Each structure stands twice: as structure tokens, then as C-alpha cells.
Amino acid sequence: MKKFLLVVFFIPLLAQSQPSAAKSDSALYADSVKFFSKTIVQQPGNSTAYYKRGSTKFKLKDYTGALTDLDSAIILNAKYEDAYLERGRTKYALNNYDDAIEDYSLVIKLNPNNASAFNNRGLAKQKKDLKGSLADLNQAVLLSPKDPVFYSNRGDTKRIGQDFKGAIVDYNTAITLNPNFLNAWYSRGIVKYDMQDYAGEILDDTKAITIDPSYANAYYNRALARAKLNIYADAVDDCTEYINLQPKDPDGYYERGNNEFNLEDYKTAIDDYTISIKIDKKYTAAYLNRGLAKSNLGDFDGAVKDYDTAIKIDPKFADAYNNRGVIMVQLKDYKHACMDFKKALELGSDQAGDNISKYCNN
């Protein structure tokens, strides 16, 4: 499972008081909310104070509170471009894409030269209107041709639409405009992976890590690319870095287990698959691969239990039926093996047909 970046919005800047070095961002934002709240009490008709408090609440991920404040700002000032822009971003964060598009459209109606509104509307349209998304991002680039963010976002739309070459061109432009633009390096790596240029993805992920050594997803995706090139030991190291940064994500342990499996370190792989399952009890792929690792160690009963569990979670899991059938063959239970192979074939398994020919037509 590839890890993707969050979208990059363009947002209005907030005027903030000088931060105290000892305070965290969240503490600073909380102080800002208090400050703007006092201003609102003293000046209830101050649309800017509502806008700034709403924007700060957004940073605190209080999206409902942000919407309430931004609504108030717009009621007080129906032509408040920045408030519409920020409200659209908030609605996007709440997965309310259609309403976000409406807000960005209002900004564009107020100011047809607002490149940020075209950019943000293009991002909102990525979910179900790629043609419209591309048109909006084209306009953002036209209005602000030296902004790397707009090229990177347009590259994302092209990638989603399978225009990999076009996406690469946009990411290249973004990198030329800003050689330290993390999003562009990382996203270009994803496209290279899609184009089966795994060495290219490794180089781009490595650059992203150089820019930000704490960027977890770059380690994860680099591990996937290294695994494609059979560089399993380095992939294990990348997964370990990812796990250190994201210890609650079952994917990190699962992928590390896969690379340990490929190194024939089945016991360690089982440990990692087990951690994945503890984090996500319905992680069927982890059950499947743990079962395979157990079977390679001769623990056929343990393998069958894992396949049974995977099938219970997902009764249409073809590979689990096929693998369980293989264990049944090893246990010389050909009747149940053939039942599993036939079920696997019915569900679309690529291997089940050969297994039926080999074990079930005698």
C-alpha cells in the first residue's frame, strides 16, 4: 500500500504576535484563540477577528469551531475572499468537497485572478472531476507561473489520471522552482514507482529524506521500491525507520515482515505480522503471510488457523483458500484441498487452476 502526501492548499497568511520559543505550536494557537475571542467580545462586528480565530481553530483541527467562526466572518462581510477560501479549506478537511468547491467558486466570482482559489478548487475536484481539476490547476499556473505548489498539485491530478509523463514534467518544474520542495520530490517518486522506475523512486525518496529526515512516508515508499529490486535488507532498515516514526501503523510492520520473509527470516517475519494483527485485527494480508511463514517452518496447524481467520474476516479471499489447500495437500487431505482450490478458482485465484490440475484430476 503506497503512502501518499496530503494535498497542498494555498491559504491566506495570518498576522500573529511574536511566538515564545518555549511554547508549542498548539499552545501558541490556543493563546491566539483567546486573544481573538477577547477582540470579538469587545468588537462583535469585527469580521477579521472571526476570520483569524476560525483560521487558528483550523490549525488546532477544531474544524466545527472554525466553520462557525468563518460563517460569522462572511455574514459580517459578504465579500471576504480570505474567509471563503479558508472556509472552503475547512469543508475539504471535513470531506465536504462539493461545498468546498462552492466556496472556492464564490472567491473566483469575487476575484477571477485569485490563483489560490483555482488551486484549491482544483484539489477539491480531484475526487471525482479530473478534467475540471486539471482546468482549474491550469488556470492557477497561468495566474502564478512561478509558484511550485501549483505545478506539484497539477502533477498530482495528472498522476491520478494516469498521465505519468505529464506529471513528471510538472514535478520537474516544481523542483526547478524550489529545489527543496519536499512534496515534488516525494510525489515524483510515486510516479516513478508507477512507471516501474524503482531505482528512480529510491533516488527521489532519498532526496525527500535528506530534506526532512522525519518524513516517514518516504522511508516506507523507498522500502517498497527496494523490495521490487530485491534489496530486502535495506528495505527492512527503511521499514524500521518508518516504524520508529509511525509505531501505530500496522503497514510498517507488515512490510517489514514481507522483507524479512524474503530474506527467509521467517520467525522474525511472524513477529512483525503478529504486531500488525495486534494493531489491526482484520488485517487479512498479515494473516495470509503469517500463515505462509508458519508453513515454511513446518507449523501447518498454525498456518491453517491463520488462513481460517483470514477467510472468516473475508469469505472472498481467494489466496487464503488456495494457501489452505496447499497445506491440506501436505497433510494428504486431498478432499479438503480440492474443495479449497475450487473455491479459490471460483474467486479468481491465479494459482488455483494449476493446483486443481495437479492434485484434483486423478
Side-chain angles (χ1 to χ4, degrees):
M1 183 186 302
K2 292 292 284 187
K3 303 291 183 183
F4 296 97
L5 278 175
L6 295 175
V7 293
V8 182
F9 287 101
F10 236 67
I11 56 173
L13 296 175
L14 295 180
Q16 298 279 357
S17 58
Q18 278 293 324
S20 167
K23 286 193 173 183
S24 67
D25 285 345
S26 59
L28 286 170
Y29 296 147
D31 283 349
S32 294
V33 168
K34 291 178 183 177
F35 173 80
F36 295 130
S37 295
K38 289 180 181 178
T39 302
I40 289 167
V41 170
Q42 295 166 357
Q43 305 172 35
N46 188 329
S47 61
T48 301
Y50 279 106
Y51 160 70
K52 290 183 176 179
R53 189 173 72 174
S55 298
T56 306
K57 286 180 179 178
F58 179 93
K59 292 181 179 181
L60 289 167
K61 298 185 178 180
D62 176 11
Y63 301 130
T64 302
L67 272 183
T68 300
D69 279 343
L70 294 165
D71 285 344
S72 296
I74 290 167
I75 289 170
L76 291 167
N77 180 359
K79 295 184 178 181
Y80 202 155
E81 284 183 44
D82 287 349
Y84 285 112
L85 198 64
E86 188 76 354
R87 191 173 70 174
R89 188 168 74 118
T90 304
K91 290 174 178 177
Y92 185 101
L94 291 167
N95 300 323
N96 192 348
Y97 306 118
D98 290 340
D99 283 356
I101 288 169
E102 286 184 12
D103 273 341
Y104 298 137
S105 297
L106 286 169
V107 177
I108 292 166
K109 186 176 181 180
L110 290 168
N111 180 4
N113 293 318
N114 192 316
S116 302
F118 281 105
N119 173 75
N120 290 10
R121 192 173 71 174
L123 292 174
K125 288 180 178 179
Q126 279 179 348
K127 301 300 176 181
K128 56 184 180 182
D129 179 13
L130 288 180
K131 185 177 179 180
S133 173
L134 186 59
D136 277 344
L137 290 164
N138 284 341
Q139 188 64 20
V141 167
L142 182 66
L143 291 168
S144 187
K146 294 187 183 259
D147 196 306
V149 170
F150 299 158
Y151 288 98
S152 182
N153 287 343
R154 189 171 69 177
D156 290 345
T157 292
K158 289 178 180 178
R159 171 180 55 78
I160 295 167
Q162 305 290 300
D163 178 10
F164 298 139
K165 290 183 179 179
I168 291 283
V169 170
D170 274 339
Y171 295 136
N172 288 345
T173 302
I175 289 167
T176 298
L177 291 167
N178 180 2
N180 289 317
F181 189 11
L182 173 65
N183 284 44
W185 286 102
Y186 178 77
S187 298
R188 192 176 73 174
I190 292 173
V191 173
K192 289 180 178 179
Y193 185 97
D194 290 337
M195 297 175 73
Q196 300 183 355
D197 177 10
Y198 305 121
E201 160 140 30
I202 290 169
L203 289 173
D204 281 350
D205 286 332
T206 300
K207 178 63 178 180
I209 289 165
T210 300
I211 295 169
D212 181 3
S214 67
Y215 194 77
N217 287 356
Y219 291 103
Y220 181 92
N221 284 3
R222 190 171 69 176
L224 296 183
R226 283 176 162 166
K228 287 290 187 179
L229 295 175
N230 302 328
I231 311 172
Y232 301 125
D234 287 347
V236 167
D237 291 341
D238 276 340
C239 289
T240 299
E241 292 291 344
Y242 178 78
I243 288 166
N244 289 338
L245 293 164
Q246 297 288 340
K248 295 183 179 180
D249 186 350
D251 291 344
Y253 300 97
Y254 172 76
E255 292 299 338
R256 189 170 68 178
N258 289 344
N259 286 289
E260 289 159 345
F261 183 100
N262 286 324
L263 289 168
E264 300 184 7
D265 184 0
Y266 303 123
K267 289 183 179 179
T268 307
I270 288 169
D271 291 340
D272 272 333
Y273 294 138
T274 300
I275 296 172
S276 292
I277 291 165
K278 284 182 179 178
I279 297 171
D280 180 358
K281 291 183 171 30
K282 294 185 177 181
Y283 204 137
T284 54
Y287 284 106
L288 182 80
N289 288 4
R290 189 174 71 173
L292 189 57
K294 287 178 178 179
S295 69
N296 284 354
L297 291 174
D299 179 9
F300 299 134
D301 288 341
V304 169
K305 287 179 182 177
D306 276 341
Y307 299 141
D308 287 346
T309 303
I311 290 167
K312 184 177 180 181
I313 296 168
D314 180 5
K316 295 183 178 180
F317 196 177
D319 289 341
Y321 286 102
N322 182 73
N323 285 15
R324 190 173 67 180
V326 171
I327 297 296
M328 293 297 109
V329 167
Q330 291 174 307
L331 295 173
K332 301 189 183 306
D333 184 350
Y334 295 104
K335 177 182 177 180
H336 285 100
C338 292
M339 289 173 61
D340 275 341
F341 292 145
K342 289 175 182 177
K343 184 65 175 179
L345 182 65
E346 176 188 321
L347 293 170
S349 170
D350 294 331
Q351 300 174 337
D354 290 340
N355 287 332
I356 290 171
S357 298
K358 189 172 182 180
Y359 299 112
C360 305
N361 293 328
N362 297 330

